[in-house]
Amino acid sequence: MNRTFADHVIAFNENLSYTGNLPEGFDVLNPYLDNPETLTVMQKFYHKYYNDSSRRKFIIGINPSRHGAGVTGVPFTDTKRLESVCGIKMESAHTHEISSVFMYDMIEDYGGADLFYKDIYINSPFPLAIVKKTKNGWLNANYYDDKRLFEAVKDFMIESLKKHISLNLDTSEVFILGKKNADFISKLNNEAKLFDRMTVLEHPRYIQQYKLKEKQLYIDKYILALKK
């Protein structure tokens, strides 16, 4: 039996582990190991929207947040939108994540989740949550926040991106969320020759926090880029 796009993504997530070194003060969270329900809802999501073998465009985030994909296993999807838009309820956790708000408002304008996920696949070069120890406890961190951290995870990110591409992604153009993220993805791309062209879009968190009055302009920008 031919394996679907969903089967391949689920297998990728189920086998995710980071065993490399990290600089002191950083740690990696694996939502699929930390909460059994995360694995279940992730499987439901991909079987619902990716149960085919179609080629898709690729949006690259940074790395999952503790309140978005770090809980649901679905990029840019908190438990609120997972239930209200995707119809998949999570019993063991309840999260609100601001990037998810923008992403699902954009998805609605795109034509809805069915159409969007039929065309688009989203993931991150570092597909697990990274946290940093502070005096106030553990907080979200980005893979590029520390030069030593980036160097430690760089090879793992290249391998992860290659695995994503092998799912049947269009590599003629890739969509990068966040300008700083794009600078680092560009370094990876120069080394590994993964994508022909990179289109940079403002990160949903940045839009929600700093550009809320112009949110519709950014939604339109996303849709114009993705549908051309």
Side-chain angles (χ1 to χ4, degrees):
M1 193 175 83
N2 289 337
R3 299 180 79 204
T4 65
F5 200 109
D7 293 330
H8 289 295
V9 180
I10 291 164
F12 172 82
N13 288 336
E14 287 175 341
N15 291 296
L16 259 181
S17 69
Y18 179 76
T19 55
N21 295 322
L22 290 169
E24 190 175 347
F26 289 96
D27 200 4
V28 167
L29 305 178
N30 188 333
Y32 308 111
L33 297 178
D34 296 340
N35 183 352
E37 195 186 9
T38 299
L39 205 55
T40 304
V41 297
M42 178 274 292
Q43 290 167 343
K44 286 180 180 175
F45 174 86
Y46 285 106
H47 281 311
K48 180 170 184 175
Y49 294 110
Y50 291 82
N51 206 24
D52 57 55
S53 299
S54 301
R55 173 159 286 199
R56 286 170 167 84
K57 295 177 181 179
F58 190 16
I59 293 179
I60 299 181
I62 302 170
N63 43 263
S65 80
R66 290 177 304 160
H67 302 300
V71 173
T72 62
V74 180
F76 291 98
T77 305
D78 58 17
T79 63
K80 282 187 180 178
R81 263 117 313 243
L82 186 68
E83 182 175 359
S84 64
V85 180
C86 305
I88 301 168
K89 184 172 173 59
M90 197 163 183
E91 302 288 351
S92 61
H94 302 280
T95 60
H96 173 88
E97 206 246 343
I98 61 168
S99 293
S100 186
V101 177
F102 173 85
M103 197 58 91
Y104 276 87
D105 285 347
M106 184 273 294
I107 286 171
E108 185 178 355
D109 276 19
Y110 187 95
D114 286 338
L115 186 60
F116 180 82
Y117 289 124
K118 183 174 178 290
D119 294 342
I120 313 286
Y121 174 73
I122 310 174
N123 217 303
S124 302
F126 193 90
L128 297 168
I130 301 174
V131 289
K132 182 179 182 178
K133 194 171 190 178
T134 71
K135 60 186 179 186
N136 299 318
W138 292 93
L139 297 177
N140 280 331
N142 299 320
Y143 72 80
Y144 54 61
D145 285 348
D146 184 296
K147 187 179 179 185
R148 297 164 305 149
L149 177 63
F150 175 67
E151 288 301 325
V153 300
K154 188 178 80 166
D155 289 345
F156 180 82
M157 291 201 295
I158 288 172
E159 283 309 305
S160 290
L161 288 170
K162 285 179 177 176
K163 287 175 182 174
H164 290 313
I165 289 167
S166 74
L167 298 170
N168 193 17
L169 295 179
D170 181 355
T171 57
S172 64
E173 182 179 17
V174 67
F175 304 88
I176 313 285
L177 303 186
K179 292 175 181 175
K180 192 168 183 182
N181 188 29
D183 290 341
F184 284 86
I185 299 295
S186 185
K187 291 178 185 178
L188 301 183
N189 199 40
N190 289 339
E191 183 176 323
K193 304 289 185 283
L194 304 166
F195 309 106
D196 298 340
R197 190 166 80 254
M198 290 172 43
T199 296
V200 185
L201 296 165
E202 287 76 9
H203 196 280
R205 184 171 61 243
Y206 167 78
I207 297 165
Q208 285 290 123
Q209 283 185 318
Y210 303 111
K211 298 289 182 180
L212 202 53
K213 287 181 180 176
E214 300 150 66
K215 180 174 176 176
Q216 191 59 47
L217 291 175
Y218 287 101
I219 287 176
D220 294 345
K221 182 179 178 180
Y222 266 62
I223 292 170
L224 277 172
L226 293 168
K227 285 199 171 186
K228 73 171 186 285

Coordinates of all heavy atoms in Angstrom, one line a residue, residues 54-99:
S54 N 0.0 14.5 -2.6 CA 0.1 15.7 -3.4 C 1.4 16.5 -3.0 O 1.8 16.5 -1.8 CB -1.1 16.7 -3.1 OG -2.3 16.0 -3.5
R55 N 2.0 17.2 -3.9 CA 3.1 18.1 -3.7 C 2.6 19.3 -3.0 O 1.6 19.9 -3.4 CB 3.9 18.4 -5.0 CG 5.0 19.4 -4.8 CD 6.0 19.3 -5.9 NE 6.8 18.2 -5.8 CZ 8.0 18.0 -6.4 NH1 8.4 18.9 -7.2 NH2 8.7 16.9 -6.2
R56 N 3.4 19.8 -2.0 CA 3.0 21.0 -1.3 C 4.1 22.1 -1.3 O 5.3 21.7 -1.3 CB 2.5 20.7 0.1 CG 1.2 20.0 0.1 CD 0.9 19.4 1.5 NE -0.5 19.0 1.7 CZ -1.0 17.9 1.4 NH1 -0.2 17.0 0.8 NH2 -2.3 17.6 1.6
K57 N 3.7 23.3 -1.1 CA 4.6 24.4 -0.8 C 5.1 24.3 0.7 O 4.3 23.8 1.5 CB 4.0 25.7 -1.1 CG 3.7 25.9 -2.6 CD 3.0 27.2 -2.9 CE 2.7 27.4 -4.3 NZ 2.0 28.6 -4.7
F58 N 6.2 24.8 1.0 CA 6.8 24.7 2.3 C 7.0 26.0 3.0 O 7.6 26.9 2.5 CB 8.2 24.0 2.1 CG 8.9 23.5 3.4 CD1 8.2 23.4 4.6 CD2 10.2 23.2 3.4 CE1 8.8 23.0 5.7 CE2 10.9 22.7 4.5 CZ 10.2 22.6 5.7
I59 N 6.4 26.2 4.2 CA 6.6 27.3 5.0 C 7.5 26.9 6.2 O 7.2 25.9 6.8 CB 5.3 27.9 5.6 CG1 4.4 28.5 4.5 CG2 5.5 28.9 6.7 CD1 3.1 29.0 5.0
I60 N 8.5 27.6 6.4 CA 9.5 27.3 7.5 C 9.4 28.3 8.6 O 9.6 29.5 8.5 CB 10.9 27.2 7.0 CG1 11.1 26.2 5.9 CG2 11.9 27.0 8.1 CD1 12.5 26.1 5.3
G61 N 9.0 27.8 9.8 CA 9.1 28.6 11.0 C 10.5 28.6 11.7 O 11.5 28.4 11.0
I62 N 10.5 28.8 13.0 CA 11.8 28.9 13.7 C 12.0 27.6 14.4 O 12.7 26.7 14.0 CB 11.8 30.1 14.6 CG1 11.6 31.4 13.8 CG2 13.2 30.2 15.4 CD1 11.4 32.7 14.6
N63 N 11.4 27.5 15.5 CA 11.2 26.2 16.2 C 10.0 26.3 17.1 O 9.5 27.3 17.4 CB 12.5 25.8 17.1 CG 13.0 27.0 17.9 OD1 14.0 27.6 17.5 ND2 12.5 27.2 19.0
P64 N 9.3 25.1 17.4 CA 8.0 25.2 18.1 C 8.1 25.9 19.4 O 9.1 25.8 20.1 CB 7.7 23.7 18.3 CG 8.5 22.9 17.3 CD 9.8 23.8 17.1
S65 N 7.0 26.6 19.7 CA 6.9 27.2 21.1 C 6.3 26.2 22.0 O 5.6 25.2 21.6 CB 6.0 28.4 21.0 OG 4.6 28.1 21.0
R66 N 6.5 26.4 23.3 CA 6.0 25.5 24.3 C 4.4 25.5 24.3 O 3.8 24.6 24.8 CB 6.5 26.0 25.7 CG 7.9 25.8 26.0 CD 8.3 26.3 27.3 NE 8.0 27.7 27.5 CZ 7.8 28.3 28.6 NH1 8.0 27.7 29.8 NH2 7.6 29.6 28.7
H67 N 3.8 26.6 23.8 CA 2.3 26.7 23.9 C 1.6 26.4 22.6 O 0.4 26.3 22.5 CB 1.9 28.1 24.4 CG 2.5 28.4 25.8 ND1 2.3 27.6 26.9 CD2 3.4 29.4 26.2 CE1 2.9 28.1 27.9 NE2 3.6 29.2 27.5
G68 N 2.4 26.3 21.5 CA 1.8 26.0 20.2 C 2.1 24.5 19.9 O 1.6 23.6 20.5
A69 N 3.0 24.3 18.9 CA 3.3 22.9 18.5 C 4.0 22.2 19.6 O 4.1 20.9 19.6 CB 4.2 23.0 17.3
G70 N 4.6 22.9 20.6 CA 5.2 22.2 21.7 C 4.2 21.5 22.6 O 4.6 20.6 23.4
V71 N 2.9 21.7 22.4 CA 1.8 21.0 23.1 C 1.0 20.2 22.1 O 0.8 19.0 22.4 CB 0.9 22.0 23.8 CG1 -0.3 21.3 24.4 CG2 1.7 22.8 24.9
T72 N 0.6 20.7 21.0 CA -0.3 20.0 20.1 C 0.5 19.1 19.1 O -0.1 18.2 18.5 CB -1.1 21.0 19.2 OG1 -0.2 21.8 18.4 CG2 -2.0 21.9 20.1
G73 N 1.8 19.4 18.8 CA 2.5 18.7 17.8 C 2.2 19.2 16.4 O 2.7 18.6 15.4
V74 N 1.4 20.2 16.3 CA 1.0 20.8 15.0 C 1.5 22.2 14.9 O 1.2 23.1 15.7 CB -0.5 20.8 14.8 CG1 -0.9 21.4 13.4 CG2 -1.0 19.4 14.9
P75 N 2.4 22.6 13.9 CA 3.0 23.9 13.9 C 2.0 25.0 13.8 O 0.9 24.9 13.2 CB 3.8 23.9 12.5 CG 4.1 22.4 12.4 CD 3.0 21.7 12.9
F76 N 2.2 26.1 14.6 CA 1.4 27.3 14.7 C 0.0 27.0 15.1 O -0.9 27.7 14.7 CB 1.5 28.1 13.4 CG 2.8 28.7 13.2 CD1 3.8 28.1 12.3 CD2 3.2 29.9 13.8 CE1 5.0 28.6 12.2 CE2 4.4 30.4 13.6 CZ 5.4 29.8 12.8
T77 N -0.2 25.9 15.8 CA -1.6 25.5 16.2 C -1.7 25.3 17.7 O -1.1 24.3 18.2 CB -2.0 24.2 15.4 OG1 -1.8 24.5 14.0 CG2 -3.4 23.9 15.7
D78 N -2.4 26.2 18.4 CA -2.6 25.9 19.8 C -3.8 25.1 20.0 O -4.5 24.7 19.0 CB -2.7 27.3 20.6 CG -3.8 28.2 20.1 OD1 -4.7 27.7 19.4 OD2 -3.8 29.4 20.4
T79 N -4.2 24.7 21.2 CA -5.3 23.8 21.4 C -6.6 24.5 21.1 O -7.6 23.8 20.7 CB -5.4 23.3 22.9 OG1 -5.6 24.4 23.8 CG2 -4.1 22.6 23.3
K80 N -6.7 25.8 21.2 CA -7.9 26.5 20.9 C -8.3 26.4 19.4 O -9.4 26.0 19.0 CB -7.8 28.0 21.2 CG -8.0 28.4 22.7 CD -8.0 29.9 22.8 CE -8.1 30.3 24.3 NZ -8.1 31.8 24.4
R81 N -7.3 26.6 18.6 CA -7.5 26.5 17.1 C -7.6 25.1 16.6 O -8.3 24.8 15.7 CB -6.5 27.3 16.3 CG -7.0 28.7 16.0 CD -6.3 29.9 16.5 NE -6.0 30.0 17.9 CZ -6.5 30.9 18.7 NH1 -7.4 31.7 18.3 NH2 -6.1 31.0 20.0
L82 N -6.9 24.2 17.3 CA -6.9 22.8 17.0 C -8.4 22.3 17.1 O -8.9 21.5 16.3 CB -6.0 22.0 17.9 CG -5.9 20.5 17.6 CD1 -5.1 20.3 16.2 CD2 -5.1 19.8 18.7
E83 N -9.1 22.8 18.2 CA -10.4 22.4 18.4 C -11.4 23.2 17.6 O -12.3 22.6 16.9 CB -10.8 22.5 19.9 CG -12.2 22.0 20.2 CD -12.6 22.0 21.6 OE1 -11.7 22.3 22.5 OE2 -13.7 21.6 22.0
S84 N -11.3 24.5 17.6 CA -12.4 25.4 17.0 C -12.3 25.3 15.5 O -13.3 25.4 14.8 CB -12.2 26.8 17.5 OG -11.0 27.4 17.1
V85 N -11.1 25.2 14.9 CA -11.0 25.2 13.4 C -10.8 23.8 12.9 O -11.5 23.4 11.9 CB -9.8 26.0 13.0 CG1 -9.7 26.0 11.4 CG2 -9.9 27.5 13.5
C86 N -10.0 23.0 13.5 CA -9.7 21.7 13.0 C -10.6 20.6 13.5 O -10.6 19.4 13.0 CB -8.2 21.3 13.3 SG -7.0 22.5 12.7
G87 N -11.4 20.9 14.6 CA -12.3 19.9 15.1 C -11.7 18.8 15.9 O -12.2 17.7 16.0
I88 N -10.4 19.0 16.4 CA -9.7 18.0 17.2 C -9.5 18.5 18.6 O -8.8 19.5 18.8 CB -8.4 17.7 16.5 CG1 -8.6 17.2 15.1 CG2 -7.6 16.6 17.3 CD1 -7.3 17.1 14.2
K89 N -10.2 17.9 19.5 CA -10.1 18.4 20.9 C -9.0 17.7 21.7 O -8.7 16.5 21.6 CB -11.5 18.0 21.6 CG -11.6 18.6 23.0 CD -13.0 18.4 23.6 CE -13.1 18.7 25.0 NZ -12.7 20.1 25.4
M90 N -8.3 18.5 22.5 CA -7.2 18.0 23.3 C -7.7 18.1 24.8 O -8.0 19.2 25.3 CB -5.9 18.8 23.1 CG -4.7 18.1 23.6 SD -3.2 18.8 22.9 CE -2.0 17.7 23.7
E91 N -7.7 17.0 25.5 CA -8.2 16.9 26.8 C -7.2 17.3 27.9 O -7.5 17.9 28.9 CB -8.7 15.5 27.2 CG -9.8 15.0 26.3 CD -11.2 15.7 26.5 OE1 -11.3 16.4 27.4 OE2 -12.1 15.4 25.6
S92 N -5.9 17.0 27.6 CA -4.9 17.1 28.7 C -4.2 18.5 28.7 O -3.5 18.8 29.7 CB -3.8 16.1 28.5 OG -3.2 16.3 27.2
A93 N -4.5 19.4 27.8 CA -3.9 20.7 27.8 C -4.8 21.7 27.2 O -5.6 21.4 26.3 CB -2.6 20.6 27.0
H94 N -4.6 23.0 27.6 CA -5.4 24.1 27.0 C -4.4 25.3 26.8 O -3.9 25.8 27.8 CB -6.5 24.5 28.0 CG -7.5 23.4 28.2 ND1 -8.5 23.0 27.4 CD2 -7.5 22.5 29.3 CE1 -9.1 21.9 27.8 NE2 -8.6 21.6 29.0
T95 N -4.1 25.6 25.6 CA -3.2 26.6 25.3 C -3.7 27.7 24.4 O -4.5 27.5 23.5 CB -1.9 26.0 24.7 OG1 -2.2 25.4 23.5 CG2 -1.2 25.1 25.6
H96 N -3.1 28.9 24.5 CA -3.4 30.0 23.6 C -2.0 30.6 23.2 O -1.2 30.8 24.0 CB -4.1 31.1 24.4 CG -4.3 32.4 23.6 ND1 -5.4 32.6 22.7 CD2 -3.5 33.5 23.5 CE1 -5.2 33.8 22.1 NE2 -4.1 34.3 22.6
E97 N -1.8 30.7 21.9 CA -0.5 31.1 21.4 C -0.7 32.2 20.3 O -1.5 31.9 19.4 CB 0.2 29.9 20.8 CG 1.7 30.1 20.8 CD 2.3 30.1 19.4 OE1 1.6 29.8 18.5 OE2 3.4 30.6 19.3
I98 N -0.1 33.3 20.5 CA -0.5 34.5 19.6 C -0.1 34.2 18.1 O -0.8 34.7 17.3 CB 0.1 35.8 20.1 CG1 1.7 35.8 20.1 CG2 -0.4 36.2 21.5 CD1 2.3 37.1 20.3
S99 N 0.9 33.5 17.8 CA 1.2 33.2 16.4 C 0.1 32.4 15.8 O -0.2 32.5 14.6 CB 2.5 32.4 16.3 OG 3.6 33.2 16.7

